[in-house]
Amino acid sequence: LAGAGAAEGLAGAWDGGSDAVPAEGGRVLIDGPQRFEGVKVICVDGHCGRYTRKGDKYVMVVIDLTPVRDGTGPARLLDMVEGRSKQVFATWLDERPQAWRDQVEIVAMDGFTGFKTAAVDKLPDAVEVMDPFHVVQLAGDALDRCRQRVQQETLGHRGRAGDPLYGARRTLHTGVDLLTDKQQARLDALFSHDDHAAVEVTWGVYQNLVDAYRNPDRAAGRQAMQKVIGAISRGVPAALVELHKLGSTLKRRAGDVLAYFDHPRTSNGPTEAINGRLYTSGATTGGGGFPIHAPLIPGHTPYCLAASALNAIEGYLAQLEYDATVGVDDRATSPLNVLQLFPNPVEDQLTVQWHTGGFIQSISIYDLTGRMVLEHSGVNAGICTLATGGLASGMYTVSVRTG
């Protein structure tokens, strides 16, 4: 909804509406005494998206993962700060009282060295965790770069429709246990060519890494991850340049990667979901509708991207709660106003219902490593039911697109 539409709903002028939202948000959110209470697990992540008309286009997003770790609720957006560097994070931590910093037990983050260094300096007693979302993303990026390189070496051009490697780009990121017969046949045909050997080797590492995270036995998962890191951190043939780089990164951050298995539910998945929601809100409001250095929604934030058609300004004023955390055999409930997902926890079927203008166009479900485990497109209806009996017990992110 544009600022003019919000002003019309408030029976005021556009500039008055633009002034009212940050002012009220600052009073309720930034100055609220409950904002930083009870925070023991935080996640810091960089997000590329210009929310201000001037200055750095990057923002640092800080999330409270304590409710997710403890199983008491969704993640909360604590802060958005302009910039993305060691100094930005260090300054933000310096602004917090020493007592607050002392109670932080875990800092989840991506592979950015600046966040790691600031956390070590300012939170010496906290455990740094390189979360599964970004570890899997690193492996997925290595797989994509390898596929693109082999594509150029064998065909001399970028991927086109009809090219085997290009046609398998999404299938390569699908878990082995989730492949359909058609997808398996596509991979078998792809890997039957000697020219694609590098892609097959990199794909195998990617799958082994994902399987380590999905192992229900954390000790066995940790052991499997150690084996993967050890295998690609030394003795990798020079021709496998993508694996060599991935192995170097994982070896350097091995302690942080393995720390996840000792501290489960510290994934960056909720953070990326909130980043997606912030991206949608920025686009809806023209890229500058929300003030930097302020939480977006009072008290809590969406666990997942609710819908692209969400009225962002109305949600900000009405203090709507969008908690689309879905557990399988893991109780989690939340009142929703526009988007409903039920039952929650879900067992064999999940119903998604959209209560405002437009229809649901597609629904995607992701596990905590960021892998898409279920997708349903072409819905074009206000309500849709998905079969979820094949999902393992755990927490998932649901992305709903409307139009």
Side-chain angles (χ1 to χ4, degrees):
L1 181 67
E8 182 179 354
L10 296 172
W14 182 91
D15 55 349
S18 289
D19 291 340
V21 171
E24 181 63 10
R27 185 187 68 82
V28 176
L29 305 180
I30 300 177
D31 300 331
Q34 76 286 353
R35 179 179 170 192
F36 292 104
E37 290 180 356
V39 177
K40 296 182 180 180
V41 182
I42 64 173
C43 180
V44 57
D45 190 29
H47 179 58
C48 179
R50 190 179 296 279
Y51 290 91
T52 56
R53 300 191 181 278
K54 297 181 180 179
D56 200 324
K57 69 176 181 178
Y58 290 95
V59 292
M60 181 186 73
V61 181
V62 185
I63 306 295
D64 176 19
L65 288 181
T66 310
V68 176
R69 194 275 304 266
D70 296 342
T72 59
R76 295 189 309 123
L77 176 60
L78 287 178
D79 223 334
M80 287 172 55
V81 183
E82 189 172 357
R84 177 183 182 268
S85 66
K86 170 190 173 181
Q87 187 59 44
V88 169
F89 188 32
T91 300
W92 186 87
L93 289 171
D94 283 336
E95 293 171 353
R96 312 277 79 78
Q98 185 63 47
W100 185 89
R101 281 182 279 162
D102 290 342
Q103 73 180 9
V104 176
E105 302 171 0
I106 300 171
V107 183
M109 64 187 73
D110 58 15
F112 178 50
T113 305
F115 291 155
K116 162 75 173 178
T117 306
V120 171
D121 290 346
K122 304 299 181 180
L123 303 171
D125 296 327
V127 176
E128 291 82 33
V129 175
M130 189 172 173
D131 75 285
F133 186 96
H134 284 100
V135 176
V136 172
Q137 185 182 53
L138 284 175
D141 289 346
L143 178 57
D144 286 339
R145 289 195 301 272
C146 179
R147 173 183 57 79
Q148 292 164 355
R149 175 176 60 82
V150 173
Q151 167 84 24
Q152 287 284 355
E153 291 175 352
T154 55
L155 298 180
H157 59 74
R158 297 178 60 182
R160 300 172 184 171
D163 292 344
L165 285 168
Y166 182 75
R169 65 193 184 281
R170 292 190 177 91
T171 305
L172 288 168
H173 286 266
T174 303
V176 173
D177 56 333
L178 300 173
L179 291 172
T180 64
D181 292 341
K182 182 178 179 180
Q183 289 173 321
Q184 185 63 61
R186 177 182 293 168
L187 290 183
D188 291 342
L190 189 72
F191 296 150
S192 66
H193 294 276
D194 293 341
D195 290 341
H196 299 162
V199 178
E200 183 176 8
V201 172
T202 308
W203 173 82
V205 171
Y206 172 83
Q207 294 292 342
N208 290 337
L209 189 146
V210 171
D211 287 342
Y213 280 125
R214 298 186 68 188
N215 196 318
D217 185 335
R218 291 203 298 272
R222 180 188 177 98
Q223 185 176 10
M225 181 61 73
Q226 282 182 307
K227 185 177 180 180
V228 172
I229 295 175
I232 62 175
S233 60
R234 61 183 182 275
V236 177
L240 299 175
V241 292
E242 298 82 12
L243 273 187
H244 188 275
K245 182 178 180 180
L246 176 65
S248 177
T249 300
L250 294 185
K251 180 181 180 180
R252 186 173 64 253
R253 298 293 298 273
D256 301 337
V257 173
L258 297 173
Y260 174 79
F261 296 93
D262 301 321
H263 305 280
R265 294 195 176 189
T266 53
S267 168
N268 221 24
T271 307
E272 293 301 323
I274 289 174
N275 282 346
R277 179 66 190 90
L278 295 173
Y279 177 84
T280 304
S281 299
T284 304
T285 59
F290 296 99
I292 295 294
H293 208 67
L296 180 65
I297 296 178
H300 37 265
T301 57
Y303 182 84
C304 79
L305 173 60
S308 60
L310 172 65
N311 179 333
I313 296 180
E314 180 182 359
Y316 186 79
L317 292 174
Q319 304 183 20
L320 301 182
E321 176 178 353
Y322 288 86
D323 171 16
T325 305
V326 176
V328 177
D329 298 329
D330 184 15
R331 184 163 301 280
T333 59
S334 177
L336 302 180
N337 299 291
V338 175
L339 179 68
Q340 281 190 315
L341 290 84
F342 58 88
N344 196 355
V346 64
E347 293 182 358
D348 297 325
Q349 289 186 328
L350 171 67
T351 298
V352 181
Q353 189 168 7
W354 180 250
H355 290 287
T356 189
F359 293 111
I360 297 172
Q361 298 301 320
S362 66
I363 303 171
S364 305
I365 298 180
Y366 301 85
D367 63 17
L368 288 185
T369 67
R371 294 174 60 249
M372 185 171 66
V373 296
L374 187 63
E375 182 180 32
H376 188 49
S377 58
V379 178
N380 199 32
I383 187 170
C384 179
T385 299
L386 293 82
T388 55
L391 297 181
S393 178
M395 296 180 66
Y396 297 84
T397 299
V398 180
S399 175
V400 180
R401 295 188 180 276
T402 70

